Amino acid sequence: MTTLVARTRRMLGPEMAGPVLAFLAVMLIFGTSSPQFLSRATFGSVAFQLPELGLLTLAMLLPILTGGLNLAVTFTANIAGLVVAWVLQANGGVDAGPAAFALGALLALAAGAASGIVMGLVIAYTRAHPILVSLSMMIFLRGLGEFLTRGGDVSGFPTFIRQLGHGSILGIPAPLLVFILCVGLWHLLLSRTKLGFNTYMIGSNIEAAHYSGVNTRKVLVLVYTLSGIMCAVAGIIMMARFNSVRIGHGESYLLITVLACFLGGVNPFGGFGRVIPVFVALVVLQLLSSGLNLLGANQHLATAVWGMLLVAVMILRWIAGQFGYLVGKRE
Amino acid sequence: MRRLFHTQATEMALLAVTALICFFLATSTDRFFTLGNAFDLLNISSVNIIFAVGLLVVLIAGGIDISFAVAASVVQYVTALILAQIGGGSWVSGILIAGSIGILLGAFNAFLIHKFRIISIVVTIATFNIYFGLLMFFTRGVSIYDLPDWWTERVILFEREMADGTWAEIRLPVLVMALCVAATWFLIRHTTIGRQLYAFGDNPDGARRFGVNIGAMQFIAFGWLGLMAGIAGLIQAHYAQEVVPNALYGRELDVLAAVVLGGARLGGGRGSVFGCVLGVLLISIVQNGLNLMGVSPYAFQMIIGAIILLAITLSNSSIEKLIPFLRTDGRKQS
């Protein structure tokens, strides 16, 4: 029994406290103030909205763990979506078959990976600040997308694409399935593989990681490449959800992904943070948004409340730290 | 002279690149090297330069701020509402109101950063969402076009008719920009506070042991950026002759890129007003040049992004090769 408790506690980790508290608070507040909140409809809409933001957040998570940042996530996703859209259009538009989609998706993943590789190489080999490198990549990709689409929409996809965005398998929305699969992959990657271990090493102390024989450059390039690939997955899901591709779709998610990571207890300097708390933080954010929506507020108020929640969690953490400090002193 | 090149390598390189691009544009287009175009560039860049010098102070102090552009939008909107309440006002009351609200918003960031020991990027991403979300929620995205006359009326400080009949003019934003640049330069180069900001940004612990008041540093840096953001908001509304709640949304990252291109380091302790102004101007000049050369406006951002990426890669790799152990760790308190 005690081992079970200890194991659960270890599995949940200290980062879990903030997101779980926030989750309980949200459930309590909205559950009592709005009778429709604890309903299938609420959770249904959350399940459909979660993946877009969630996949982008996963893409943001890996670079943050290395002490960096990938500000190009949303536009990498847009470019990847554009690649799929073009491949589909080149193969008959509405009449395109699954093979064309498979090819498009592969090319989209390659496009995402390419963006990540370029950023990773520049960051790893020149030691330029990741904020800056990914920022210029973001400006470049945004410009590239605007140049290629002239700021317009690309749409007209076969019907099975709609299924990917809006369909369900065994009652679980298809995008959510993709998202949960990706969460699982990221969790395994970070907790079970050498690359994951090295990611944490680099985030804690890149010099120490280097001197202990970690090929830091290789790891950094891989991390940004994987981030780019995850952006591409997000781009494909976003394309299916909106049934169109436009440069700027999901642009407002950019800073929210960083917010979700921090809310999920990821250390802004890198080295600490896990996937599951981030997942819970994402669920909290979406529940908040749905709850406010039920109370008649709009998305903008939800955005403001997301910001306040982040500040509140940080303040609570500070208070907990002060308390721990006092307790520690007494002993 | 050698010392100048050594201490201000980024600024010198930037100046050389800017000069090269200017030379190229002057020979390849006939419009670039005219007084009218130069003045246009200054008028257009003014707001970004005001933002940039404000952000520079925060970067020097080792912080980062994402929220200043939406803070400026809040300032614009609230200032317009207050002015409508008090029946018009004037430039003096406008600057007082906008400046105070700006300082207040900056101080709120500083308060969270200092009191609860949250790092600046987390705080400002949170406040970015709070400011912008609340602004859009309360205004419902409605713009204000009915501004007092003094606010929207063009003030021309200097004008000269060109040979082809067009007018070259320097307008009010340029004067305000010059004042902000001069004030920031004075603050960080010629006051004790400025030296302390550099010291604090370079090594917070060391600065604290030397008796630098850490809290004061945070409030001064973010308050200064708040003040600049307030002024920039006022001037942007003056320039655009309207207050649109999401007009400045997204501007923060462009300004950040320009400032760091100008030699300020994410992580603190480095950066100069000269480099910062050059960084903004370089981007404006490239944009302007592409426009004159007849390149599709859709391609501007792409080319600018590629240039910044290239500039970062080149500047970092050459420094790295020259002095390999100088840049050991850039991330102290980003």
Side-chain angles (χ1 to χ4, degrees), chain A residues 56-64 69-71 73 254 257-258 261:
Chain A
L56 288 172
T57 306
L58 290 182
M60 186 64 92
L61 176 63
L62 283 193
I64 291 186
L69 209 62
N70 182 0
L71 290 173
V73 284
L254 173 59
T257 60
V258 186
C261 286

Side-chain angles (χ1 to χ4, degrees), chain A residues 40-276:
Chain A
R40 221 182 123 78
T42 307
F43 291 92
S45 77
V46 166
F48 273 109
Q49 285 164 3
L50 189 61
E52 292 154 31
L53 179 60
L55 289 166
L56 288 172
T57 306
L58 290 182
M60 186 64 92
L61 176 63
L62 283 193
I64 291 186
L65 284 178
T66 64
L69 209 62
N70 182 0
L71 290 173
V73 284
T74 50
F75 290 101
T76 308
N78 285 160
I79 293 287
L82 215 54
V83 170
V84 187
W86 279 328
V87 173
L88 286 173
Q89 284 197 334
N91 288 288
V94 185
D95 305 318
F101 174 69
L103 175 71
L106 265 181
L107 288 175
L109 294 178
S115 139
I117 286 174
V118 172
M119 279 188 288
L121 285 174
V122 173
I123 291 165
Y125 283 87
T126 72
R127 294 261 194 105
H129 201 290
I131 291 186
L132 202 55
V133 176
S134 60
L135 181 56
S136 41
M137 181 55 94
M138 177 199 107
I139 295 173
F140 172 74
L141 290 176
R142 182 174 67 194
L144 180 71
E146 278 170 2
F147 178 61
L148 294 172
T149 61
R150 305 277 168 208
D153 285 57
V154 181
S155 53
F157 307 131
T159 44
F160 65 86
I161 299 287
R162 244 191 82 78
Q163 283 299 311
L164 181 64
H166 299 271
S168 305
I169 299 166
L170 299 172
I172 304 169
L176 186 66
L177 277 178
V178 175
F179 175 50
I180 287 175
L181 186 75
C182 291
V183 168
L185 269 177
W186 248 221
H187 179 73
L188 283 181
L189 175 83
L190 285 172
S191 59
R192 292 274 181 276
T193 66
K194 203 173 142 201
L195 177 66
F197 183 74
N198 288 342
T199 304
Y200 286 116
M201 286 271 284
I202 286 180
S204 301
N205 188 337
I206 189 163
E207 296 299 319
H210 180 68
Y211 286 122
S212 53
V214 176
N215 187 343
T216 52
R217 287 176 169 172
K218 196 178 105 187
V219 174
L220 278 176
V221 175
L222 270 174
V223 159
Y224 280 89
T225 310
L226 284 171
S227 169
I229 291 175
M230 189 53 84
C231 293
V233 176
I236 297 169
I237 294 294
M238 276 160 68
M239 180 199 80
R241 286 265 303 145
F242 297 122
N243 205 23
S244 77
V245 179
R246 190 173 61 81
I247 295 302
H249 264 168
E251 190 187 356
S252 57
Y253 285 145
L254 173 59
L255 293 173
I256 307 282
T257 60
V258 186
L259 189 152
C261 286
F262 294 155
L263 202 58
V266 177
N267 186 324
F269 296 118
F272 302 94
R274 281 152 3 96
V275 180
I276 308 297

